Structures are given as structure tokens and as C-alpha cells.
Amino acid sequence: MRPEGLRQSDRVSFRMPVEASWNGNGGVEVKQSAETLLVSRNGAVVRLAERLFAGQEITLRRQREGDNWKIARARVVAEIDQDPAGFLYAIAIVDPRANFWDIEFPAPHKAQEALARLLMECSFCQRREIVYLNEPDLKSFEIRKCVARVCPLCDSPSIWIEAQPEAPATAPGAPSAAAEAAADDDRVTPRRTRRRVKARVLACIRRRGFQEEVAVCEDLSKGGISFRSRNQYPAGTRVEVAVPFTPGSSAIFVPIRIVSSQPIPSAGLFRHGAAYVRPPMDSGA
């Protein structure tokens, strides 16, 4: 049994239409359209119009090209929230080898050497993958909104762009704080000397109970970021950040802790330094 609290992969804020079905009263099959709000290697947060119960098994279907459908069995872990469009459920894919989302998730421990992360796709074959950006990649994305890398499927160099959601937002706002809750511990990346990379890219700051804010990064390192913000976050505040961030696109939020906060009176802004919080991870998943 996998210990609780171990993160098996990044979680991507990504909207994708799916069809969910299950046995209702009297054994009658119920089918309903749904959409994802978050996806991970072996699970998701999905929105459904009907209330389900924890432990209930459902079948998910996702249309690929034409009449090609991908099918997976899933289990409802918990109802975590609701909004005007329906109920939000955390679900787990029963077969961890299914790769139901057609997204490649790298081993989580590889993220420790990344400056930033994005859900990207090959412009030739549309293969999707969580890409951990190094300094040249980040600079390329900052200037051109794309990176050049070898595609494992094409087996050749190709241009990779940020993957776009497959479904429009059905309700205002992003996944709730409950949808984003995770069993992270408080281990902050050690504050040893790290090379900082200057990059003017957008970041999205998410704090439980507050509206999301789009801020501007000044520099990034493997251990954290520095950003300018309209809001002041006191030192010690825990928030989540997605960087780089493109409004309306997919986003990968990770936990950070504010370590410094300085006002910029001339601009009416605050400059913050933040360190990534490393949750416990299962590198073998």
C-alpha cells in the first residue's frame, strides 16, 4: 500500500471534457458529461452535476480523434467542494498504467533541478508532457513562447508550445482551495547559494481564501522566485505559485513560502522573495 501524503506527480490545472458513467438505482447505467479541473498521473479533480459517494466506482471515457475513445475505471476518493456548475470530486484511476490523460508525467524528484515547469505539447505530433524548464528553455519561452527539444515520439528535434485546455471554463475562477489541498510538509528548500536567472515572466499566486493574483517574476532559481505584487504577503505566508503563467492556459501550481517582503513605494507594489516547499514524494511512482 502506498503511504498517504506521497505525491506521485505534479498536478496540472487543466480542463478536459470527459464522459462519466456508473450504475444508478436499480442497476440502470447513468451517463453524464463532466470536465476536469486538475489532472495528475493517476487521478484528477472532476466536476459533475450529480452527487456521488466516496468509494463509488465510475467509468471515464475521453474522446481522442474521430471515434477513438479512451476508457478507464476510476474511484471517487471524496467530494471536496461544489460550485454553481456542480460537485467537485477527487478521483483515482484504478489502473495506474492506463495513462488515461495521454500526458507524460516525469518522476517528481527530477523537478528539484528545474527553474520552472509547464504542460507543453509537440507542435508536430501533439504529444503532451510536463516539461521542467532549465535556463535556456526559460529564456526561449520568455522571448518566443516556445522551446526547442527532442520529441520522444517523433524521435527528432521539434518545437514545443504550451498546451491549451480542451474545454472552456464552465464556472468563473480556478479550482478552489479545497481542490488544491495536498498533504505537503513544511520542508523549505535549503537557502544555500543558488544561481538566479533574470526573467520577466508572469506568475499566478494562489492563497487560500483570497482571489488569485497575476504577478511579475524578477528572477528564478531552483530554490525559489522573486516577484513583484500588488498585495503584501508577510514573511512565513504559505501560498501556491504557477510560473511561467499564461492566462487561460494550463497551470502547474506548487507550494512556496514567503521569506521576505519589501515595499516599493514609488510603484505601489511589494517585492517578495519566496522559497519552494518540497513535499514528500514517491520517486518510484
Side-chain angles (χ1 to χ4, degrees), residues 79-139:
E79 177 188 325
I80 57 177
D81 207 352
Q82 56 182 287
D83 61 24
F87 301 93
L88 275 58
Y89 299 99
I91 64 166
I93 304 296
V94 174
D95 183 359
R97 301 166 298 177
N99 191 14
F100 179 68
W101 313 115
D102 286 326
I103 296 173
E104 294 300 319
F105 291 86
H109 70 272
K110 295 181 179 179
Q112 296 185 16
E113 296 302 312
L115 291 175
R117 63 197 79 195
L118 279 176
L119 175 60
M120 307 194 80
E121 65 180 38
C122 173
S123 57
F124 295 148
C125 69
Q126 284 73 58
R127 168 191 166 99
R128 288 177 178 155
E129 185 176 330
I130 302 294
V131 177
Y132 294 145
L133 304 181
N134 56 27
E135 182 177 349
D137 293 338
L138 183 62
K139 288 293 186 182

Side-chain angles (χ1 to χ4, degrees), residues 116-192:
R117 63 197 79 195
L118 279 176
L119 175 60
M120 307 194 80
E121 65 180 38
C122 173
S123 57
F124 295 148
C125 69
Q126 284 73 58
R127 168 191 166 99
R128 288 177 178 155
E129 185 176 330
I130 302 294
V131 177
Y132 294 145
L133 304 181
N134 56 27
E135 182 177 349
D137 293 338
L138 183 62
K139 288 293 186 182
S140 175
F141 184 81
E142 179 185 11
I143 297 169
R144 305 177 184 88
K145 299 302 180 185
C146 64
V147 298
R149 61 196 303 267
V150 174
C151 176
L153 189 59
C154 298
D155 195 26
S156 63
S158 62
I159 301 300
W160 288 64
I161 59 176
E162 189 172 5
Q164 299 300 308
E166 296 181 2
T170 56
S176 66
E180 284 291 344
D184 296 338
D185 70 5
D186 288 340
R187 293 182 295 177
V188 177
T189 301
R191 296 181 62 186
R192 56 182 177 268

Side-chain angles (χ1 to χ4, degrees), residues 5-7 10 108-117 132 183-190 192 194 221-225 238 241 254-257 274-281:
L6 294 184
R7 183 176 298 182
D10 287 300
H109 70 272
K110 295 181 179 179
Q112 296 185 16
E113 296 302 312
L115 291 175
R117 63 197 79 195
Y132 294 145
D184 296 338
D185 70 5
D186 288 340
R187 293 182 295 177
V188 177
T189 301
R192 56 182 177 268
R194 291 178 179 268
S221 75
K222 296 174 183 177
I225 64 172
R238 282 282 298 269
V241 62
V254 295
I256 62 172
R257 171 173 289 136
Y276 291 119
V277 176
R278 302 297 185 190
M281 294 182 176

Side-chain angles (χ1 to χ4, degrees), residues 35-94:
E35 70 168 350
T36 65
L37 277 73
L38 297 169
V39 298
S40 63
R41 178 188 284 129
N42 295 326
V45 171
V46 299
R47 179 190 285 118
L48 278 164
E50 190 162 331
R51 174 159 271 157
L52 303 177
F53 57 85
Q56 185 169 350
E57 288 205 356
I58 60 176
T59 299
L60 297 177
R61 299 175 74 239
R62 185 175 68 81
Q63 189 170 16
R64 301 166 89 181
E65 295 183 4
D67 292 328
N68 183 9
W69 291 76
K70 199 160 190 176
I71 302 174
R73 294 290 296 168
R75 174 176 52 84
V76 176
V77 177
E79 177 188 325
I80 57 177
D81 207 352
Q82 56 182 287
D83 61 24
F87 301 93
L88 275 58
Y89 299 99
I91 64 166
I93 304 296
V94 174

